[in-house]
């Protein structure tokens, strides 16, 4: 298994008249971890959906592992998708399937595992996100919001992808559980050799899981740097954001 | 002036052509997944049971009462020109050729078309369809193809049941209320019925089943904008499927029985 690098150059995307991404440039080295920061509605989720090929950008080049994903044939795109994993912001669990089938969905789809073995594997991965094996038999609608998030996280990592996206992995979790999940993400990068791109609003979490950090504002990347420096980067905008201060270059504005 | 008018006509026509084209591509892709492995048998079976088995009560009751009403109506109507003996033939031909498939189709469109649009619509707006893609599963193959196949195969089975119950409804009213002799009623039923009547009815059923599944999936798959969007998708799926059923009913009838 080899990690995948990601590179975005001049990516633009509008929905109708609303321009969400206005020339986004991002470089992520293989086997590294990037956190993306930015205000609510600034286009973070749209950015990673573009990388996954779920949203087609209007302009720009997106390369994953050196391949331009906007130009891939259907077959190559599927092959690439096999190596990626995604935690959706809202979980996006399949409510017609029990938790264990959700967790092992990709392994089952790729026929890498039998249904009998999938239950055991699901229990293993659920344990990593702090859930008992008995949760596997419940339906996603029977879980609390934080439990759903953790099941979704288990599903994203269960097939051991080479490139993983986490859209707000710790939102809605208690602080201790949040730290456990952060540990899991770090593990994916350090032990399993994956590349991770995460979105988070939690600065402590960003410092723990990120090596690099990038801040998106008004559709552009306005800063990239080491995640450990968040809060005292010297960039007024980033520091204001990281410390959560009302006064500063970023003014609250009504979202269009 | 004229240019603006032409543009005003042209634009909606072009838009309509475009959506019809997209729908045709969607249908073709769904069908191509039905014949290419891997197959999602579990998904197919789940929907097949839902359509074929759980629609039985609704379709059976509709057919039974329609057959009963038909016998009563045609008896009182035909009495005006002394043609009461035709009741059995009228009931069996109308039910098998026309009312069985159309009524079953409309009932299933309301039940299943709506449910499919609502389920897929919810999956769309909660990112579940995107999630499928990231989990190495083609949503067209996993969600759409099994549903359309299930409705296409299940509806003819339902129509067989509807045909039998419709004729039975007519028979019950004919013998118990209208004074027909049981054997004579059944004889005239069998005498008039031809294989082509049944076959055309079943082909109609398969066509309607395909349309119901296709519309449910199409509107669900492309719904957007939260609960309201899903509601809209559900309504559209049922309305459009019902209208198409009535239109295609004419087309198939014309193809089989044009004089
Ligand atoms: N499918 C869509 N259709 C229309 N507009 C969209 C769509 N998806 C996103 N948007 C718009 O794009 C903008 C960015 O959305 P996005 O979900 O990327 O925000 P975000 O940065 O992830 O915010 P948050 O932190 O609140 O999750 C929003 O203004 C949103 O309204
Ligand atoms: Mg988001």
């Amino acid at each position: 298994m080899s990690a995948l690098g990601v590179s975005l150059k001049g990516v633009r995307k509008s929905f109708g008249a609303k321009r969400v991404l206005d020339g986004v440039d991002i470089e992520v080295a293989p086997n590294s971890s990037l956190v993306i920061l930015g205000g609510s509605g600034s286009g973070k989720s749209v950015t990673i959906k573009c990388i996954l090929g779920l949203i087609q950008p209007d302009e720009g080049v997106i390369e994953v592992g050196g391949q331009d994903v906007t130009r891939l044939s259907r077959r190559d795109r599927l092959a690439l998708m096999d190596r990626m994993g995604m935690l959706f912001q809202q979980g996006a669990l399949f409510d017609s399937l029990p938790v264990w089938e959700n967790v092992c969905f990709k392994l089952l789809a790729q026929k890498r595992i039998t249904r009998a073995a999938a239950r055991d594997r699901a229990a293993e991965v659920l344990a990593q996100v702090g859930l008992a094996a008995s949760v596997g038999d419940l339906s996603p609608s029977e879980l609390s919001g934080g439990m759903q998030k953790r099941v979704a996280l288990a599903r994203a990592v269960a097939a051991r992808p080479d490139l993983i996206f986490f859209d707000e992995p710790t939102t809605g979790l208690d602080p201790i559980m949040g730290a456990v999940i952060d540990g899991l993400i770090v593990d994916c990068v350090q032990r399993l050799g994956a590349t991770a791109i995460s979105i988070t609003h939690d600065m402590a979490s960003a410092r723990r899981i990120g090596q690099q950090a990038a801040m998106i504002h008004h559709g552009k990347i306005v800063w990239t740097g080491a995640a450990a420096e968040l809060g005292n980067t010297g960039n007024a905008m980033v520091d204001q954001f990281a410390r959560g201060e009302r006064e500063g270059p970023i003014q609250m504005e009504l979202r269009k | 002036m004229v240019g603006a008018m032409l543009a005003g006509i042209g634009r909606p026509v072009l838009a309509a052509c475009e959506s019809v084209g997209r729908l045709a591509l969607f249908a073709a892709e769904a069908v191509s997944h039905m014949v290419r492995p891997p197959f999602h048998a579990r998904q197919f079976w789940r929907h097949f049971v839902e359509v074929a088995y759980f629609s039985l009560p609704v379709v059976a009751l509709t057919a039974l009462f329609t057959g009963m009403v038909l016998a009563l109506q045609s008896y009182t109507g035909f009495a005006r020109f002394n043609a009461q003996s035709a009741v059995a033939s009228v009931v069996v031909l109308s039910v098998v050729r026309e009312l069985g498939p159309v009524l079953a189709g409309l009932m299933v469109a309301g039940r299943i078309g709506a449910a499919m649009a609502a389920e897929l619509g919810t999956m769309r707006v909660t990112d579940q369809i995107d999630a499928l893609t990231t989990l190495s599963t083609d949503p067209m193959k996993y969600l759409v193809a099994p549903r359309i196949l299930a409705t296409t195969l299940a509806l003819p089975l339902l129509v067989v049941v509807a045909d039998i119950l419709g004729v039975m409804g007519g028979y019950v009213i004919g013998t118990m209320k209208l004074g027909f002799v049981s054997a004579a009623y059944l004889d005239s039923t069998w005498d008039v019925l031809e294989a082509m009547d049944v076959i055309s009815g079943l082909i109609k059923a398969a066509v309607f089943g395909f349309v119901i599944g296709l519309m449910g999936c199409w509107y669900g798959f492309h719904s957007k904008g939260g609960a309201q969007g899903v509601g809209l998708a559900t309504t559209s799926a049922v309305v459009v499927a019902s209208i198409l059923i009535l239109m295609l009913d004419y087309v198939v009838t014309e193809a089989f029985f044009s004089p």
Side-chain angles (χ1 to χ4, degrees), chain A residues 74 81-82 93 106 110, chain B residues 42 128 133-134 136-138:
Chain A
R74 192 185 165 90
M81 201 57 108
D82 283 348
L93 296 173
K106 191 164 192 162
Q110 296 174 341
Chain B
R42 195 179 291 271
Q128 290 181 51
T133 312
T134 68
S136 303
T137 304
D138 187 334

Side-chain angles (χ1 to χ4, degrees), chain B residues 83-115:
Chain B
Q84 294 95 321
S85 57
V87 165
S89 331
V90 167
V91 169
V92 70
L93 288 188
S94 346
V95 166
V96 169
R97 283 166 64 151
E98 198 54 51
L99 294 173
V102 170
L103 290 177
L106 293 177
M107 288 324 231
V108 173
R111 249 194 110 244
I112 301 296

Side-chain angles (χ1 to χ4, degrees), chain A residues 83-105:
Chain A
R83 303 177 58 192
M84 303 202 268
M86 162 84 177
L87 164 69
F88 285 83
Q89 190 169 355
Q90 313 293 347
L93 296 173
F94 306 129
D95 26 41
S96 59
L97 300 177
V99 164
W100 71 268
E101 247 184 291
N102 265 284
V103 171
C104 289
F105 195 93

Side-chain angles (χ1 to χ4, degrees), chain A residues 5-240:
Chain A
V6 176
S7 145
L8 280 76
K9 291 195 190 76
V11 173
R12 291 193 159 76
K13 176 71 192 174
S14 304
F15 292 103
K18 184 168 64 185
R19 171 149 287 184
V20 177
L21 302 183
D22 190 16
V24 168
D25 304 289
I26 296 178
E27 290 288 335
V28 192
N31 194 13
S32 71
S33 174
L34 172 83
V35 286
I36 303 179
L37 312 171
S40 187
S42 57
K44 305 180 297 296
S45 297
V46 170
T47 304
I48 57 178
K49 283 184 183 172
C50 283
I51 304 175
L52 277 159
L54 299 173
I55 293 179
Q56 196 68 22
D58 300 332
E59 264 178 65
V61 180
I62 301 177
E63 285 182 359
V64 175
Q67 296 174 287
D68 184 346
V69 290
T70 55
R71 274 156 220 255
L72 281 185
S73 70
R74 192 185 165 90
R75 194 203 194 99
D76 291 341
R77 183 190 293 262
L78 289 178
L80 193 59
M81 201 57 108
D82 283 348
R83 303 177 58 192
M84 303 202 268
M86 162 84 177
L87 164 69
F88 285 83
Q89 190 169 355
Q90 313 293 347
L93 296 173
F94 306 129
D95 26 41
S96 59
L97 300 177
V99 164
W100 71 268
E101 247 184 291
N102 265 284
V103 171
C104 289
F105 195 93
K106 191 164 192 162
L107 293 168
L108 288 167
Q110 296 174 341
K111 303 222 173 353
R112 276 157 64 182
I113 198 169
T114 63
R115 286 180 72 80
R119 277 174 174 271
D120 297 335
R121 172 80 183 127
E124 217 173 277
V125 189
L126 284 173
Q128 287 178 4
V129 295
L131 293 171
S134 59
V135 172
D137 292 318
L138 300 177
S139 138
S141 58
E142 293 173 285
L143 305 180
S144 76
M147 288 164 88
Q148 288 182 5
K149 191 99 200 192
R150 286 187 273 160
V151 171
L153 198 97
R155 184 176 73 178
V157 300
R160 301 217 171 91
D162 298 333
L163 171 59
I164 323 181
F165 300 87
F166 300 99
D167 197 344
E168 306 198 6
T170 52
T171 309
L173 301 183
D174 66 72
I176 297 174
M177 205 60 233
V180 170
I181 296 304
D182 288 343
L184 181 74
I185 295 173
V186 171
D187 229 35
C188 283
V189 178
Q190 292 185 348
R191 212 160 49 80
L192 302 178
T195 308
I197 299 181
S198 319
I199 294 172
T200 184
H201 290 298
D202 175 351
M203 291 307 134
S205 167
R207 283 187 212 99
R208 278 197 292 259
I209 59 182
Q211 296 160 354
Q212 296 290 303
M215 170 136 168
I216 184 166
H217 187 62
H218 286 316
K220 289 192 173 68
I221 299 293
V222 291
W223 174 85
T224 44
E229 287 168 19
L230 283 170
N232 39 46
T233 59
N235 179 313
M237 230 188 224
V238 181
D239 287 347
Q240 180 201 351

Side-chain angles (χ1 to χ4, degrees), chain B residues 58-71 73-74 87 89-108 155 158-167 170 197 200-202 204-205 208 245-246 249 253 257:
Chain B
V58 184
V59 170
L61 281 175
T62 312
L64 185 69
F65 281 99
T66 304
M68 288 162 62
V69 168
L70 204 57
Q73 282 280 19
S74 49
V87 165
S89 331
V90 167
V91 169
V92 70
L93 288 188
S94 346
V95 166
V96 169
R97 283 166 64 151
E98 198 54 51
L99 294 173
V102 170
L103 290 177
L106 293 177
M107 288 324 231
V108 173
L155 213 61
L158 280 171
V159 165
V160 169
V161 176
D163 287 353
I164 294 171
L165 283 169
V167 170
D197 299 324
S200 75
L202 295 184
K204 278 182 183 179
F208 299 165
I245 284 174
L246 296 173
D249 182 42
T253 308
F257 301 112

